[in-house]
């Protein structure tokens, strides 16, 4: 009888209690290290933490299967929706994630085009794709260039002058093409040949003036003054501004969400379908959604989160856009495979300059 009771107790122990580990795959510079330490201290679960700097790498590992990861952080489009459609992500048992209640329902509704019913992920952090710049350097070479518009970059006569102090382009067709479509007054989700041709013409017109392409953002180039204008993620630019201030080398960095409209993207906490430690993954998601933990993550990364209760714990809430700004932000939907190929070829020609 005692032996039977012992066996039953063993069966009742969660799988992660045996291994006491959760394998996390997240973007570079996208966590508060103190959060990882606190999670381990509270749960006894060790966090094995790896990073990536582009969605293609993440998607390739997940679609190949047996990645060994328990938590991944894909952007809502196109990777999150594609992984869902491929059956590569597990549905989340919300009864095991009580802190789900803290998520902003308005923001969660925005990603239902990628994940109907919000079954496969919780918003981790989010941000916009806009322009980071060194105002002093830009004013020196293009004093009349608008600092609140995509024209700062996409108008060739401005790009030509600004090239003197360096222009860095995000190396991501996924993120750039919708913004160019919006700038041109077209549907950011459009994949018509005419609209993509217009995008290509706009990009080719500024191609001679682009100094470099940055995978995963241009944070260091901006912070050190190596470039004075960059198409980048909002949080990366804000981090660059903080680092530049700390370095005290006379570099100042500003982020703008151009007035014509910008894309807002959401990075999701998700669990691979073949995750080896799903119980630990659920515990990790629940921990991260705790308002105090999210406040710490936003403070370090300079990206807004989707847990409104965290704001009361932050001294600086300027990373959260106003309602007026949010009204100018757009969210994209899934890109069909055929259209994705067209966009990829367009981007290859743009980078090659021919």
């Amino acid at each position: 009888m005692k032996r039977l009771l012992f066996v039953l107790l063993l069966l009742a122990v969660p799988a992660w209690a045996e291994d006491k580990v959760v394998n996390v795959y997240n973007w570079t510079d996208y966590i508060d290290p103190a959060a990882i330490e606190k999670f381990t201290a509270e749960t006894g679960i060790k966090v094995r933490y790896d990073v990536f700097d582009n969605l293609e790498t993440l998607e390739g590992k997940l679609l190949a299967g047996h990645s060994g990861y328990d938590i991944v952080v894909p952007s809502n489009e196109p990777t999150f929706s594609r992984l869902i459609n491929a059956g590569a992500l597990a549905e989340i048992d919300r009864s095991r994630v009580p802190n789900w209640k803290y998520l902003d329902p308005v923001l969660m509704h925005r990603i239902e085009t990628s994940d109907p019913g919000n079954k496969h992920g919780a918003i981790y952090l989010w941000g916009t794709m806009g322009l980071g710049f060194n105002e002093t350097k830009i004013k020196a070479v293009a004093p009349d260039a608008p600092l609140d518009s995509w024209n700062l970059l996409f108008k060739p006569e401005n790009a030509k002058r600004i090239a003197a102090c360096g222009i860095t382009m995000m190396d991501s067709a996924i993120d750039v093409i919708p913004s160019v479509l919006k700038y041109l007054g077209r549907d950011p989700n459009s994949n018509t040949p005419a609209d993509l041709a217009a995008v290509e013409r706009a990009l080719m017109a500024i191609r001679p003036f682009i100094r470099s392409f940055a995978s995963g953002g241009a944070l260091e180039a901006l912070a050190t003054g190596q470039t004075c204008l960059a198409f980048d993620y909002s949080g990366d630019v804000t981090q660059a501004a903080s680092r530049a201030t700390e370095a005290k080398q006379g570099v100042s960095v500003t982020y703008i969400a151009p007035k014509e409209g910008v894309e807002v993207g959401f990075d999701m906490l998700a669990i691979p379908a073949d995750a080896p430690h799903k119980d630990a993954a659920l515990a990790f998601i629940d921990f991260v959604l705790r308002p105090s933990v999210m406040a710490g993550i936003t403070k370090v990364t300079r990206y807004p989160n989707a847990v409104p209760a965290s704001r009361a714990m932050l001294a600086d809430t300027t990373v959260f856009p106003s309602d007026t700004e949010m009204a100018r932000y757009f969210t994209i939907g899934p890109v069909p495979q055929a259209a994705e190929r067209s966009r990829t070829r367009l981007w290859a020609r743009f980078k090659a300059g021919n």
Side-chain angles (χ1 to χ4, degrees), residues 139-208:
K139 287 291 187 183
V141 295
D144 59 342
L147 298 180
D148 62 348
S149 168
W150 283 117
N151 281 324
L152 183 64
L153 172 63
F154 293 135
K155 200 169 184 179
E157 50 265 48
N158 290 331
K160 183 177 182 178
R161 292 182 292 170
I162 295 169
C165 57
I167 297 175
T168 298
M169 174 64 76
M170 182 188 295
D171 190 4
S172 172
I174 293 167
D175 295 315
V176 175
I177 290 176
S179 296
V180 181
L181 284 165
K182 182 69 173 178
Y183 166 71
L184 295 173
R186 310 194 182 205
D187 179 0
N189 285 297
S190 176
N191 293 297
T192 67
D195 284 347
L196 292 183
V199 168
E200 187 164 359
R201 287 193 298 271
L203 288 174
M204 285 300 189
I206 65 169
R207 179 62 185 89

Side-chain angles (χ1 to χ4, degrees), residues 29 40 73 80 98 112 117 120 161-162 176 198 234 254 289:
D29 296 318
T40 299
V73 191
F80 185 51
E112 288 200 74
H120 298 85
R161 292 182 292 170
I162 295 169
V176 175
S234 56
T254 302
L289 293 182

Side-chain angles (χ1 to χ4, degrees), residues 117-128:
N118 297 133
K119 296 178 180 179
H120 298 85
I123 296 172
Y124 173 57
L125 297 174
W126 59 280
T128 56

Side-chain angles (χ1 to χ4, degrees), residues 31-354:
I31 191 70
D32 174 13
I36 294 176
E37 295 175 4
K38 187 173 182 180
F39 174 74
T40 299
E42 285 190 12
T43 65
I45 303 171
K46 179 181 179 181
V47 179
R48 292 176 183 156
Y49 194 88
D50 291 337
V51 299
F52 59 89
D53 64 5
N54 64 74
L55 290 169
E56 290 79 6
T57 299
L58 170 63
E59 191 170 342
K61 288 194 175 187
L62 267 290
L63 292 179
H66 305 292
S67 67
Y69 292 112
D70 304 300
I71 293 286
V72 291
V73 191
S75 297
N76 61 308
E77 288 299 342
T79 303
F80 185 51
S81 64
R82 282 207 290 243
L83 292 175
I84 292 171
N85 292 333
L89 297 179
E91 290 192 11
I92 293 178
D93 181 356
R94 295 190 196 176
S95 69
R96 304 281 302 280
V97 187
N99 287 331
W100 191 282
K101 66 185 177 185
Y102 291 116
L103 286 165
D104 185 334
V106 174
L107 293 181
M108 289 296 289
H109 178 66
R110 280 198 178 224
I111 59 166
E112 288 200 74
T113 54
S114 304
D115 181 22
N118 297 133
K119 296 178 180 179
H120 298 85
I123 296 172
Y124 173 57
L125 297 174
W126 59 280
T128 56
M129 282 138 257
L131 297 175
F133 58 87
N134 183 317
E135 183 173 353
T136 301
K137 288 189 174 184
I138 286 181
K139 287 291 187 183
V141 295
D144 59 342
L147 298 180
D148 62 348
S149 168
W150 283 117
N151 281 324
L152 183 64
L153 172 63
F154 293 135
K155 200 169 184 179
E157 50 265 48
N158 290 331
K160 183 177 182 178
R161 292 182 292 170
I162 295 169
C165 57
I167 297 175
T168 298
M169 174 64 76
M170 182 188 295
D171 190 4
S172 172
I174 293 167
D175 295 315
V176 175
I177 290 176
S179 296
V180 181
L181 284 165
K182 182 69 173 178
Y183 166 71
L184 295 173
R186 310 194 182 205
D187 179 0
N189 285 297
S190 176
N191 293 297
T192 67
D195 284 347
L196 292 183
V199 168
E200 187 164 359
R201 287 193 298 271
L203 288 174
M204 285 300 189
I206 65 169
R207 179 62 185 89
F209 314 120
I210 295 173
R211 177 182 294 176
S212 60
F213 288 81
S215 178
L219 196 160
E220 288 303 323
L222 278 170
T224 57
Q226 297 173 56
T227 194
C228 64
L229 178 62
F231 187 127
D232 203 0
Y233 301 114
S234 56
D236 279 10
V237 176
T238 307
Q239 285 187 51
S242 296
R243 293 187 188 184
T245 299
E246 292 168 3
K248 298 180 180 179
Q249 297 298 312
V251 176
S252 178
V253 177
T254 302
Y255 175 78
I256 61 157
K259 62 184 179 182
E260 296 87 353
V262 296
E263 179 186 346
V264 57
F266 300 91
D267 291 319
M268 310 301 299
L269 291 165
I271 302 174
D274 60 359
H277 312 101
K278 285 190 172 71
D279 290 319
L282 290 167
F284 186 83
I285 291 175
D286 189 57
F287 175 82
V288 168
L289 293 182
R290 187 185 301 173
S292 60
V293 175
M294 265 303 181
I297 292 172
T298 287
K299 184 178 180 180
V300 170
T301 65
R302 304 301 297 161
Y303 277 91
N305 63 63
V307 176
S310 70
R311 298 192 191 189
M313 305 171 192
L314 289 166
D316 180 6
T317 59
T318 56
V319 296
F320 293 91
S322 67
D323 291 342
T324 301
E325 290 173 311
M326 286 296 292
R328 294 189 288 110
Y329 298 167
F330 64 88
T331 306
I332 60 172
V335 179
Q337 190 171 21
E340 186 67 30
R341 288 194 292 268
S342 296
R343 290 182 174 210
T344 299
R345 288 193 292 267
L346 182 163
W347 192 254
R349 291 192 297 271
F350 168 52
K351 287 188 66 177
N354 53 42

